[in-house]
Amino acid sequence: MNFLDKLNPQQRQAVTVGTGPVLVLAGPGSGKTRVLTQRVAYLIGHEGVRPYQMLAVTFTNKAAREMESRVRKLLGEEATSGLWLGTFHATCARLLRREVEHLPFDSNFVIFDADDQQNVVKTAIRGLNLDDKTYRPQSVHGSISRAKNELIFPADYPIQTYRDEVVKRIYQRYQELLNQSNAVDFDDLLLWTAWLLEENPALREKYAQRFHQLLVDEYQDTNYAQYVLLKHLASVHRNVFVVADPDQSVYRWRGADYRNVQRFEKDYPDCQTILLEQNYRSKQTILEAAMAVIDRAPQRRRKKLFTERGVGDKVFYYEANDDYGEASFVVDSIVQLVASKQFEAGDCAVMYRTNAQSRLLEEAFLAARLPYRLVGAQRFYGRREVKDIIAYLRLVHNPADEVSLDRVINVPARGIGDKTVLTLHTAARGANVSPSAVLFDLTRGEGSPFWAQFTNRAALLLSDFGARLANWRAAASTFMVSELFDHIAADINYKEYLDDGTEEGAERWENVQELRRLTLEYESRALAEFLENVALISDQDTLTESQNAPTLLTLHAAKGLEFGAVFITGLDDGLIPHSRSFDEVEAMDEERRLFYVGITRAKDRLYLVRCLRRGGPFDRLRAGSGYAEETLPSRFLDDIPPELLNGRSRAGRRPQRFSNTPSWRTPSAPLPAPVIEARFRAGMRVKHPTWGEGIVLNSRIQDDDEIVDVVFESVGIKRLAASLAGLRMVDGK
């Protein structure tokens, strides 16, 4: 047990704690993996617990492999034989195969992946003669998944609306199809295991007796089904050891519920609670900034994070003029850090709230000829929805582009199946013309010589698509690129196709909007130039797969990782926190936790970056070739004490620009500033040069400017800085 000598007092207390329920509240970088691993080794090597009497649950296969490797290194291969160690889903699959006689499927059941599940939902919808445009498979599957995570079977699915009634029928048929295929989905693994333990007292007793010790990692990320499972398995011995950090619970959209930590304390009022507060990752200044942010969160137990790694540099704040300047600053800073040998390129990470934000960053890295790694998502130009729209534009520009035609001819689905597409190509080859030429000819109806080669229905569908393509080509001769973009997207109902009410759907539509913002830079240039530049940027050969490269990733994907230098970008209200969280307290709290996660990924250097205008450079706004929406600093920035910060603003609106005081914070000795009076009031009709007429919702003075919230008929609610927005009153009202 000499490994105990390397533990700090809090870690040692956690590893050697006695029997009964134990809650370890572990701060970021506090060595929780070491604690879990050595707790397993301690129980086996010192307390005499047999490995087969232990169940250790992790959230990733990687974490499970790492823990198993460490335990074996401490105790040897044979000492761990029989230990149940793995993810929740792997553990449940193992248990279900053992007890399959109680279940409606065989022991050789297969586990359907995400694509398989979507296909089964589609089959269920079609089988019930429902419209998959009204009941989108992805959205319906999300409802089914949430029900399963709440341990709700089809028969008990709650009905409050007509849609609920339809989803219930689809859910029922979905489960029938799974059973017919002798298959389960990921959620079923939890659902059926919880059902087994709930409905079979003898089985519950069997496994609760077997597992003398339960150890659970990342307990704050458990959902309700996992919470119930653990409660059943701990019902006899009550030796359940959970490690959690509620401050890092950021997966609510996956069903995770940080309140399970509170439920644990309620279920086990005699639980021992141990805090792990010594951080081995970050400098103290970074920890102070993180605590300043998270301490504003309600209903949490405070941890005083400390480190022996030293104070470190102040957090660097930078406010760029626009999002191009934001991306340039990040790339330039990384170049300087690497050139000065302060960090390796692979020690640097750039984090953002949504995948769409990666586009300008990727372009900045490519322009600087610097390799990078994109984690947790495809490259921006490799994303399905981005490739779809570009394919439409390429097809309009060059109808002979068969690759683009094949990609979009049935996207969104318009009833043109693979057999019809094959016949289209065959007909084109037979006439020695392009498939698009056949489409154009079919618009003549039955007078076309190609009409008879298709069924009447297929010919009608193809002629309709051909007519649309001809219409887009005619529009392209007079439309600007952005207008053509909007025309096509509206004509194919692409927003409705992507944005199905799920977070993924909303993010896909955000990616499309990000691509549209790029088209605004080509208002005085041709479609051909836009397509050429996009093709060059998205060339896969421009990327290097070197591991020693900066990492680009979302804040969600950053959890569990660490980097020497971290850049958190897009620190504007509406991005961090995201606008979807504005009207929901719990969602806003999770956004705060997400920012905290990002801060605590940094080991030595932290950069907080935002811009005054987002959507296009300001000089192009003035030139009339695009627009840039004014932004406001993230409200979370106000929580960080000014003495922890060092930085400057390239285009600050305050007299103290380029000082060490960030532009969003009032300096200790402010310079005299003119008194600004509000020009706009609620109910006033105004007109914006881009978005047209709208009605003022409210107005206030902030940061030496008048901030106006306006609802526009064209784009909805926008928050604007009056000095920059170009608003004018309508009819003097």
Side-chain angles (χ1 to χ4, degrees):
M1 295 293 119
N2 59 351
F3 59 77
L4 296 177
D5 297 338
K6 299 179 180 179
L7 301 175
N8 68 42
Q10 292 175 319
Q11 291 174 330
R12 186 184 181 98
Q13 180 189 4
V15 168
T16 61
V17 69
T19 58
V22 178
L23 171 62
V24 178
L25 294 177
S30 60
K32 66 181 180 63
T33 302
R34 169 187 285 188
V35 166
L36 271 169
T37 300
Q38 299 195 7
R39 174 68 174 170
V40 172
Y42 179 81
L43 290 172
I44 295 173
H46 187 271
E47 297 297 313
V49 179
R50 304 295 186 187
Y52 63 82
Q53 296 175 319
M54 301 177 64
L55 170 62
V57 183
T58 64
F59 263 79
T60 66
N61 291 315
K62 179 182 178 182
R65 289 193 298 269
E66 182 179 353
M67 186 181 296
E68 185 175 26
S69 174
R70 290 191 187 187
V71 172
R72 286 180 175 175
K73 187 175 181 180
L74 291 172
L75 298 179
E77 188 89 17
E78 295 182 1
T80 61
S81 178
L83 172 66
W84 279 43
L85 194 159
T87 64
F88 271 101
H89 292 90
T91 299
C92 289
R94 183 176 180 182
L95 192 151
L96 290 177
R97 294 192 193 278
R98 288 181 169 221
E99 308 298 341
V100 76
E101 68 269 16
H102 303 282
L103 299 164
F105 40 80
D106 299 328
S107 60
N108 63 339
F109 63 82
V110 295
I111 303 171
F112 277 178
D113 63 18
D115 288 339
D116 296 328
Q117 294 166 36
Q118 289 289 326
N119 289 333
V120 176
V121 171
K122 291 176 185 177
T123 301
I125 291 172
R126 287 195 299 266
L128 294 171
N129 295 318
L130 297 168
D131 182 5
D132 61 4
K133 294 182 177 61
T134 302
Y135 302 100
R136 299 187 180 279
Q138 188 175 24
S139 178
V140 171
H141 183 262
S143 298
I144 293 173
S145 178
R146 286 189 292 273
K148 290 186 176 185
N149 285 330
E150 293 292 324
L151 303 180
I152 298 172
F153 281 91
D156 302 316
Y157 190 86
I159 298 176
Q160 296 180 334
T161 66
Y162 177 71
R163 182 185 184 277
D164 293 338
E165 191 276 329
V166 175
V167 170
K168 180 174 183 175
R169 285 192 282 135
I170 299 172
Y171 184 9
Q172 180 68 52
R173 182 58 183 153
Y174 174 77
Q175 286 302 104
E176 291 171 355
L177 292 170
L178 288 178
N179 291 343
Q180 289 174 16
S181 301
N182 192 36
V184 297
D185 62 22
F186 295 129
D187 299 315
D188 278 332
L189 295 172
L190 304 177
L191 176 69
W192 284 113
T193 305
W195 178 84
L196 268 181
L197 300 180
E198 181 72 33
E199 299 297 322
N200 295 272
L203 275 179
R204 181 170 66 247
E205 180 77 10
K206 170 184 173 180
Y207 285 98
Q209 283 285 3
R210 170 172 182 158
F211 295 124
H212 289 231
Q213 297 284 342
L214 294 171
L215 301 96
V216 186
D217 193 11
E218 305 285 5
Y219 187 71
Q220 78 280 350
D221 289 333
T222 54
N223 59 30
Y224 180 71
Q226 292 161 336
Y227 159 77
V228 170
L229 276 171
L230 292 170
K231 194 172 179 181
H232 284 321
L233 292 173
S235 59
V236 173
H237 298 291
R238 299 179 76 252
N239 295 324
V240 54
F241 181 97
V242 302
V243 179
D245 186 357
D247 295 336
Q248 295 191 72
S249 180
V250 294
Y251 297 127
R252 191 169 69 109
W253 48 280
R254 292 181 183 173
D257 191 345
Y258 73 97
R259 291 171 298 188
N260 284 346
V261 176
Q262 299 169 1
R263 293 186 180 114
F264 184 90
E265 294 179 288
K266 183 177 179 180
D267 293 338
Y268 304 104
D270 59 330
C271 78
Q272 301 180 67
T273 301
I274 302 169
L275 301 180
L276 298 185
E277 297 173 303
Q278 182 170 352
N279 180 285
Y280 293 89
R281 175 188 300 152
S282 305
K283 298 287 189 179
Q284 189 64 44
T285 297
I286 294 172
L287 296 180
E288 295 291 339
M291 286 187 288
V293 170
I294 201 62
D295 281 348
R296 296 291 299 273
Q299 298 180 344
R300 60 176 292 273
R301 182 174 301 185
R302 291 196 174 192
K303 296 185 290 292
K304 182 63 177 176
L305 303 179
F306 68 95
T307 184
E308 296 179 354
R309 295 197 62 234
V311 175
D313 296 326
K314 289 186 176 184
V315 176
F316 195 92
Y317 170 74
Y318 185 80
E319 187 178 74
N321 183 57
D322 54 50
D323 41 6
Y324 285 78
E326 179 183 53
S328 296
F329 168 76
V330 169
V331 173
D332 291 346
S333 297
I334 291 176
V335 169
Q336 293 173 14
L337 290 175
V338 174
S340 62
K341 300 188 183 303
Q342 297 179 67
F343 295 94
E344 292 286 330
D347 293 332
C348 303
V350 187
M351 300 176 187
Y352 35 82
R353 176 61 177 84
T354 68
N355 281 315
Q357 292 171 255
S358 77
R359 195 262 296 178
L360 287 181
L361 290 163
E362 290 184 64
E363 291 186 7
F365 274 100
L366 291 171
R369 299 184 180 276
L370 291 177
Y372 63 90
R373 293 188 301 153
L374 193 64
V375 174
Q378 293 176 294
R379 296 175 65 249
F380 180 85
Y381 292 101
R383 291 166 189 154
R384 185 192 77 197
E385 57 276 10
V386 173
K387 290 172 72 71
D388 285 348
I389 294 295
I390 291 175
Y392 269 109
L393 293 171
R394 282 173 49 181
L395 188 61
V396 170
H397 177 63
N398 176 22
D401 184 346
E402 294 188 21
V403 171
S404 293
L405 175 63
D406 287 349
R407 180 177 185 90
V408 302
I409 194 170
N410 199 42
V411 175
R414 49 179 63 93
I416 302 175
D418 292 342
K419 184 177 179 180
T420 299
V421 173
L422 178 60
T423 305
L424 173 64
H425 281 278
T426 302
R429 283 196 300 270
N432 197 28
V433 297
S434 71
S436 291
V438 176
L439 293 176
F440 293 142
D441 196 79
L442 285 170
T443 62
R444 299 193 293 120
E446 295 183 2
S448 168
F450 299 107
W451 192 274
Q453 299 184 47
F454 303 89
T455 66
N456 198 55
R457 178 178 181 274
L460 286 169
L461 292 170
L462 291 174
S463 66
D464 178 73
F465 186 76
R468 291 184 183 224
L469 180 56
N471 175 269
W472 298 331
R473 281 181 54 75
S477 63
T478 56
F479 280 17
M480 293 184 292
V481 179
S482 60
E483 292 174 327
L484 180 63
F485 185 108
D486 291 343
H487 181 51
I488 294 174
D491 208 8
I492 64 176
N493 294 317
Y494 201 60
K495 184 178 190 299
E496 291 77 9
Y497 169 67
L498 288 180
D499 193 357
D500 57 6
T502 66
E503 179 142 347
E504 181 181 358
E507 189 158 291
R508 286 187 181 281
W509 180 244
E510 287 178 7
N511 290 335
V512 173
Q513 292 300 96
E514 179 64 18
L515 180 64
R516 184 193 182 278
R517 282 190 281 272
L518 177 62
T519 68
L520 295 172
E521 299 178 32
Y522 291 80
E523 301 300 71
S524 60
R525 291 184 278 176
L527 174 62
E529 188 175 353
F530 170 78
L531 293 172
E532 179 181 327
N533 288 344
V534 167
L536 291 174
I537 290 173
S538 61
D539 186 355
Q540 294 288 343
D541 293 336
T542 61
L543 287 180
T544 303
E545 293 299 326
S546 169
Q547 294 300 303
N548 189 23
T551 300
L552 277 61
L553 71 171
T554 66
L555 288 165
H556 281 103
K559 188 177 172 190
L561 304 177
E562 60 181 41
F563 302 91
V566 167
F567 295 76
I568 302 179
T569 64
L571 278 165
D572 312 329
D573 247 27
L575 284 177
I576 307 176
H578 199 282
S579 58
R580 290 194 294 268
S581 69
F582 284 0
D583 298 326
E584 188 178 350
V585 173
E586 285 197 8
M588 181 62 72
D589 290 343
E590 182 159 311
E591 293 291 306
R592 179 180 293 279
R593 296 195 295 270
L594 189 60
F595 184 35
Y596 171 78
V597 165
I599 292 174
T600 55
R601 300 309 94 194
K603 296 164 63 176
D604 300 303
R605 197 77 64 83
L606 175 64
Y607 296 79
L608 304 179
V609 190
R610 67 172 299 269
C611 59
L612 295 174
R613 303 164 190 86
R614 192 168 297 278
F618 185 58
D619 58 344
R620 290 176 182 155
L621 169 66
R622 296 176 67 94
S625 60
Y627 77 90
E629 183 175 349
E630 296 79 19
T631 66
L632 293 175
S634 168
R635 64 195 69 187
F636 298 150
L637 289 170
D638 281 327
D639 300 329
I640 302 176
E643 61 268 18
L644 300 179
L645 294 158
N646 182 27
R648 64 184 186 271
S649 165
R650 182 175 293 173
R653 290 172 297 211
R654 290 179 173 274
Q656 72 274 14
R657 60 180 296 185
F658 301 110
S659 73
N660 288 340
T661 304
S663 63
W664 76 83
R665 191 177 299 281
T666 303
S668 55
L671 296 174
V675 177
I676 297 177
E677 295 183 359
R679 296 171 49 221
F680 303 95
R681 63 181 185 276
M684 179 182 290
R685 291 196 64 82
V686 294
K687 188 171 184 178
H688 187 274
T690 301
W691 299 317
E693 292 192 8
I695 298 175
V696 175
L697 297 178
N698 58 64
S699 172
R700 66 187 182 280
I701 302 301
Q702 179 178 312
D703 288 345
D704 297 342
D705 206 341
E706 183 179 3
I707 306 302
V708 189
D709 291 335
V710 184
V711 58
F712 294 98
E713 292 182 5
S714 59
V715 293
I717 298 175
K718 293 291 182 180
R719 180 170 294 174
L720 308 169
S723 66
L724 301 170
L727 288 177
R728 65 178 180 83
M729 302 174 194
V730 177
D731 297 331
K733 297 180 181 178

